[in-house]
mmCIF file of all heavy atoms in Angstrom:
data_model
loop_
_atom_site.group_PDB
_atom_site.id
_atom_site.type_symbol
_atom_site.label_atom_id
_atom_site.label_comp_id
_atom_site.label_asym_id
_atom_site.label_seq_id
_atom_site.Cartn_x
_atom_site.Cartn_y
_atom_site.Cartn_z
ATOM 1 N N THR A 45 7.809 -17.785 -75.843
ATOM 2 C CA THR A 45 8.936 -17.431 -76.693
ATOM 3 C C THR A 45 10.027 -16.599 -76.066
ATOM 4 O O THR A 45 11.024 -16.329 -76.774
ATOM 5 C CB THR A 45 8.278 -16.519 -77.933
ATOM 6 O OG1 THR A 45 7.728 -15.233 -77.334
ATOM 7 C CG2 THR A 45 7.361 -17.285 -78.629
ATOM 8 N N ALA A 73 5.812 -13.495 -82.401
ATOM 9 C CA ALA A 73 6.334 -14.797 -82.056
ATOM 10 C C ALA A 73 7.619 -15.109 -82.909
ATOM 11 O O ALA A 73 8.626 -15.594 -82.330
ATOM 12 C CB ALA A 73 5.310 -15.934 -82.303
ATOM 13 N N ARG A 74 7.634 -14.860 -84.168
ATOM 14 C CA ARG A 74 8.804 -15.081 -85.124
ATOM 15 C C ARG A 74 10.029 -14.269 -84.556
ATOM 16 O O ARG A 74 11.074 -14.792 -84.487
ATOM 17 C CB ARG A 74 8.489 -14.834 -86.485
ATOM 18 C CG ARG A 74 9.618 -15.038 -87.371
ATOM 19 C CD ARG A 74 9.250 -14.861 -88.983
ATOM 20 N NE ARG A 74 10.387 -15.101 -89.630
ATOM 21 C CZ ARG A 74 11.289 -14.243 -89.992
ATOM 22 N NH1 ARG A 74 11.336 -13.005 -89.431
ATOM 23 N NH2 ARG A 74 12.388 -14.513 -90.748
ATOM 24 N N ARG A 75 9.793 -12.998 -84.335
ATOM 25 C CA ARG A 75 10.872 -12.111 -83.882
ATOM 26 C C ARG A 75 11.357 -12.477 -82.511
ATOM 27 O O ARG A 75 12.589 -12.552 -82.377
ATOM 28 C CB ARG A 75 10.187 -10.680 -83.748
ATOM 29 C CG ARG A 75 11.273 -9.625 -83.320
ATOM 30 C CD ARG A 75 10.693 -8.182 -83.167
ATOM 31 N NE ARG A 75 9.345 -8.101 -82.712
ATOM 32 C CZ ARG A 75 9.221 -7.996 -81.255
ATOM 33 N NH1 ARG A 75 10.146 -8.051 -80.412
ATOM 34 N NH2 ARG A 75 7.907 -7.788 -80.851
ATOM 35 N N ARG A 76 10.584 -12.849 -81.559
ATOM 36 C CA ARG A 76 11.017 -13.261 -80.287
ATOM 37 C C ARG A 76 11.698 -14.548 -80.326
ATOM 38 O O ARG A 76 12.819 -14.761 -79.597
ATOM 39 C CB ARG A 76 9.845 -13.361 -79.258
ATOM 40 C CG ARG A 76 9.222 -11.861 -78.994
ATOM 41 C CD ARG A 76 8.023 -11.946 -78.113
ATOM 42 N NE ARG A 76 8.241 -12.620 -76.907
ATOM 43 C CZ ARG A 76 8.637 -12.035 -75.678
ATOM 44 N NH1 ARG A 76 8.949 -10.776 -75.701
ATOM 45 N NH2 ARG A 76 8.877 -12.868 -74.710
ATOM 46 N N VAL A 77 11.274 -15.594 -81.044
ATOM 47 C CA VAL A 77 11.892 -16.900 -81.155
ATOM 48 C C VAL A 77 13.229 -16.689 -81.875
ATOM 49 O O VAL A 77 14.252 -17.295 -81.325
ATOM 50 C CB VAL A 77 11.053 -17.904 -81.903
ATOM 51 C CG1 VAL A 77 11.886 -19.093 -82.267
ATOM 52 C CG2 VAL A 77 9.906 -18.210 -81.098
ATOM 53 N N LEU A 78 13.441 -15.920 -82.852
ATOM 54 C CA LEU A 78 14.624 -15.716 -83.547
ATOM 55 C C LEU A 78 15.646 -15.034 -82.659
ATOM 56 O O LEU A 78 16.930 -15.332 -82.628
ATOM 57 C CB LEU A 78 14.456 -14.894 -84.797
ATOM 58 C CG LEU A 78 13.798 -15.760 -85.975
ATOM 59 C CD1 LEU A 78 13.631 -14.868 -87.142
ATOM 60 C CD2 LEU A 78 14.520 -17.063 -86.274
ATOM 61 N N ALA A 79 15.255 -14.101 -81.845
ATOM 62 C CA ALA A 79 15.999 -13.351 -80.900
ATOM 63 C C ALA A 79 16.601 -14.359 -79.854
ATOM 64 O O ALA A 79 17.759 -14.024 -79.345
ATOM 65 C CB ALA A 79 15.282 -12.218 -80.351
ATOM 66 N N GLN A 80 15.850 -15.364 -79.592
ATOM 67 C CA GLN A 80 16.333 -16.254 -78.615
ATOM 68 C C GLN A 80 17.067 -17.567 -79.055
ATOM 69 O O GLN A 80 17.373 -18.423 -78.402
ATOM 70 C CB GLN A 80 15.140 -16.794 -77.698
ATOM 71 C CG GLN A 80 14.387 -15.758 -76.904
ATOM 72 C CD GLN A 80 15.342 -15.268 -75.757
ATOM 73 O OE1 GLN A 80 16.187 -15.982 -75.232
ATOM 74 N NE2 GLN A 80 15.075 -14.021 -75.318
ATOM 75 N N GLY A 81 17.222 -17.535 -80.437
ATOM 76 C CA GLY A 81 17.957 -18.578 -81.040
ATOM 77 C C GLY A 81 17.247 -19.845 -81.222
ATOM 78 O O GLY A 81 17.702 -21.063 -81.077
ATOM 79 N N GLY A 82 15.802 -19.753 -81.207
ATOM 80 C CA GLY A 82 15.000 -20.987 -81.379
ATOM 81 C C GLY A 82 14.385 -21.142 -82.687
ATOM 82 O O GLY A 82 14.924 -20.638 -83.780
ATOM 83 N N THR A 83 13.386 -22.049 -82.715
ATOM 84 C CA THR A 83 12.847 -22.411 -83.920
ATOM 85 C C THR A 83 11.367 -22.287 -83.787
ATOM 86 O O THR A 83 10.806 -22.503 -82.665
ATOM 87 C CB THR A 83 13.074 -23.792 -84.369
ATOM 88 O OG1 THR A 83 12.535 -24.728 -83.369
ATOM 89 C CG2 THR A 83 14.513 -24.138 -84.643
ATOM 90 N N LEU A 84 10.584 -21.869 -84.913
ATOM 91 C CA LEU A 84 9.228 -21.471 -85.028
ATOM 92 C C LEU A 84 8.652 -22.243 -86.248
ATOM 93 O O LEU A 84 9.170 -21.941 -87.276
ATOM 94 C CB LEU A 84 8.904 -20.043 -84.928
ATOM 95 C CG LEU A 84 7.370 -19.624 -85.008
ATOM 96 C CD1 LEU A 84 6.575 -20.166 -83.815
ATOM 97 C CD2 LEU A 84 7.259 -18.121 -85.162
#
Side-chain angles (χ1 to χ4, degrees):
T45 59
R74 182 176 180 277
R75 179 179 44 82
R76 291 175 57 87
V77 165
L78 291 176
Q80 294 293 334
T83 59
L84 177 63

